[in-house]
Amino acid sequence: MQPFRAMLDFDSGSLVPAAAGFSRRLSEMIGAYADQEAARSLLAHGDDPVIYTGYDASVPAEAGHLTFRTTIIMPGTIGTEYFMTKGHHHVRDSAEFYLGMSGSGVMLMQSRTGEFARQDLEPRASVYVPPGWAHRTVNIGDAPLVFLAVYFGDAGHDYDSVADAGFGWRVFRGADGPELHRMNMAGAGQSRPAEPGADDDG
Ligand code: S6P
Ligand code: ZN
């Protein structure tokens, strides 16, 4: 292939040229949210909101390449839990680089041995996700959260491990703003508020 350049719009998240766009609705990730009743009630009323969209760069999904994509997470909540990505491990444990472009968010990260970390994602903030850390991004603002992710072409995405085990922490809208809750993994709806530091264990 030939060298190329692509233009990023930091406000809209557009990537030009892009190979493809993607979008994820609530119905495609209903199990991700703690308040299953709220999620099912929305769908039952014919409301299946787009939670996030994005654009993929034209890079082969092959070893040796660095691919990249933008994501735009809409503002909103399911119950009181903020809109977020499904979250994944990479099939081949490998690092990833995130860059905040606009909006205000939080990255939740969890290692294969159960350690937890979170980092705020905002314009000009870069976040490094080490190999073996599952990651999920949450929009805690009132505007779309836009960011860039750069990862290995052959990294692959494993969504099942996250869907099966869940994330140990969730972010809810509280009376005074976002609250990070440690989840009781035995019951998805149970939680207790907590305010761990960025590198506290879960
Ligand atoms: C790719 C990177 C992001 C996410 C995107 C959507 O490795 O982590 O581009 O793919 O934010 O999230 P998810 O969990 O649905 O892939
Ligand atoms: Zn990733």
Side-chain angles (χ1 to χ4, degrees):
M1 67 182 288
Q2 293 292 308
F4 71 93
R5 78 169 195 172
M7 299 304 290
L8 295 163
D9 185 312
F10 275 49
D11 293 323
S12 72
S14 78
L15 172 65
V16 180
F22 62 92
S23 115
R24 185 99 69 190
R25 289 181 179 274
L26 173 62
S27 56
E28 299 166 82
M29 58 179 299
I30 184 166
Y33 290 94
D35 190 342
Q36 289 286 295
E37 207 177 303
R40 289 185 196 290
S41 157
L42 275 178
L43 294 177
H45 289 88
D47 191 3
D48 187 9
V50 171
I51 307 290
Y52 54 100
T53 62
Y55 300 91
D56 284 299
S58 300
V59 176
E62 293 170 6
H65 285 282
L66 270 182
T67 193
F68 53 100
R69 63 163 32 163
T70 58
T71 303
I72 303 108
I73 308 179
M74 308 308 157
T77 60
I78 301 298
T80 58
E81 188 174 16
Y82 290 101
F83 281 9
M84 61 190 179
T85 59
K86 204 167 175 183
H88 56 265
H89 271 288
H90 288 280
V91 175
R92 178 170 81 76
D93 281 347
S94 49
E96 182 154 6
F97 172 86
Y98 271 62
L99 175 68
M101 294 162 65
S102 60
S104 169
V106 175
M107 288 183 71
L108 305 178
M109 291 164 281
Q110 198 164 280
S111 74
R112 292 197 184 275
T113 53
E115 297 164 279
F116 171 77
R118 73 128 194 269
Q119 292 291 345
D120 293 335
L121 190 63
E122 63 213 11
R124 295 181 294 282
S126 61
V127 176
Y128 181 71
V129 184
W133 285 72
H135 39 285
R136 165 177 283 168
T137 315
V138 185
N139 183 354
I140 59 168
D142 297 327
L145 173 67
V146 181
F147 58 91
L148 177 76
V150 184
Y151 53 104
F152 289 95
D154 63 343
H157 292 90
D158 169 14
Y159 293 98
D160 289 346
S161 60
V162 168
D164 291 347
F167 267 77
W169 297 82
R170 294 175 176 279
V171 191
F172 297 94
R173 190 196 302 271
D176 300 318
E179 289 178 3
L180 194 60
H181 288 205
R182 172 85 190 263
M183 302 309 292
N184 171 358
M185 301 298 274
Q190 307 297 308
S191 68
R192 63 179 172 79
E195 268 307 317
D199 55 1
D200 282 358
D201 287 352

